[in-house]
Amino acid sequence: MYEQADTLVHFSEVLQAQPLLSAEVLKPHPTCSLFVAWNGVLALVYEEFPSSLALAKDRLNMSMPDKSENFGSKWPKTTLGALNDSIEGFTLDKISKLRDLCRKYLKEIASANIRLQIGTLSVVQYDSRGLERLNERVDIALDREPEEASFVEEKQKNIVNSVVEEWDDLLDYLPKVNAAGSRISSYRDQSPSGSTCVAFLGPLPEELCSQLDLF
């Protein structure tokens, strides 16, 4: 989320300040939970950052005024996959078929009323940004049980909607999907090391796992 961030100690102190952050519930986006983002990255998209997670992001941003948050961290998602480096990109026909496939399975995800419980945030130092190899990890337990009706600022939903609505016009969106960058090597062997704050999910609800397996 943040390039060349400060130490994990600094991260954890910022996140544990008063008032304590409460546990939260993440909900898959109701109309676009499966989405192909810029550079052809496949993502599971959530409806918004609920209030406590938005506060955590604000605290981190304010604690590092000389750092800027990457745009990809401004909307909540789990990266599911990236294109191989040898793939040049999509044709309009292929991205259209993939969008149709996403829409087929996101309807099943939406109907399952899936809720992901977020009870811990983790600050990590990683070797690669896919987070498959971590050098250090510090977990911060969130306060209380997650609230189903957590307050959400309208701007949080607007940010997510502005992203996923881009592929309503595939002809205009296609160059962004095919833009260079964020191929699989950038998540693994060619990734620079760094630090970030994440919520590790698991175990995932069976309904979500089954739909992702079918997808």
Side-chain angles (χ1 to χ4, degrees), residues 41-108:
V41 174
L42 181 64
L44 175 65
V45 184
Y46 305 106
E47 187 172 17
E48 77 282 298
F49 279 114
S51 57
S52 189
L53 301 187
L55 176 59
K57 282 161 45 67
D58 287 344
R59 287 180 178 179
L60 291 171
N61 283 326
M62 288 187 293
S63 74
M64 297 179 291
D66 58 329
K67 309 289 184 182
S68 59
E69 184 182 9
N70 297 330
F71 179 76
S73 296
K74 294 183 178 181
W75 52 288
K77 64 187 177 299
T78 298
T79 298
L80 299 178
L83 294 174
N84 287 326
D85 291 60
S86 59
I87 302 298
E88 293 185 0
F90 293 94
T91 63
L92 185 61
D93 180 62
K94 286 182 178 180
I95 191 61
S96 178
K97 290 179 179 178
L98 182 54
R99 184 181 65 176
D100 290 344
L101 189 63
C102 288
R103 288 176 171 175
K104 173 184 176 181
Y105 285 96
L106 69 83
K107 289 179 181 178
E108 299 299 326

Side-chain angles (χ1 to χ4, degrees), residues 105-124:
Y105 285 96
L106 69 83
K107 289 179 181 178
E108 299 299 326
I109 292 174
S111 65
N113 196 34
I114 292 166
R115 300 292 184 266
L116 302 177
Q117 311 294 323
I118 307 298
T120 303
L121 293 179
S122 301
V123 290
V124 301

Side-chain angles (χ1 to χ4, degrees), residues 23-36:
E24 289 286 6
V25 173
L26 274 180
K27 306 173 187 177
H29 195 279
T31 61
C32 196
S33 57
L34 293 171
F35 175 67
V36 180

Side-chain angles (χ1 to χ4, degrees), residues 126-142:
Y126 57 81
D127 280 337
S128 56
R129 68 188 182 111
L131 304 186
E132 294 170 295
R133 299 190 304 274
L134 301 179
N135 290 324
E136 190 174 355
R137 169 177 170 175
V138 177
D139 293 334
I140 296 100
L142 302 181

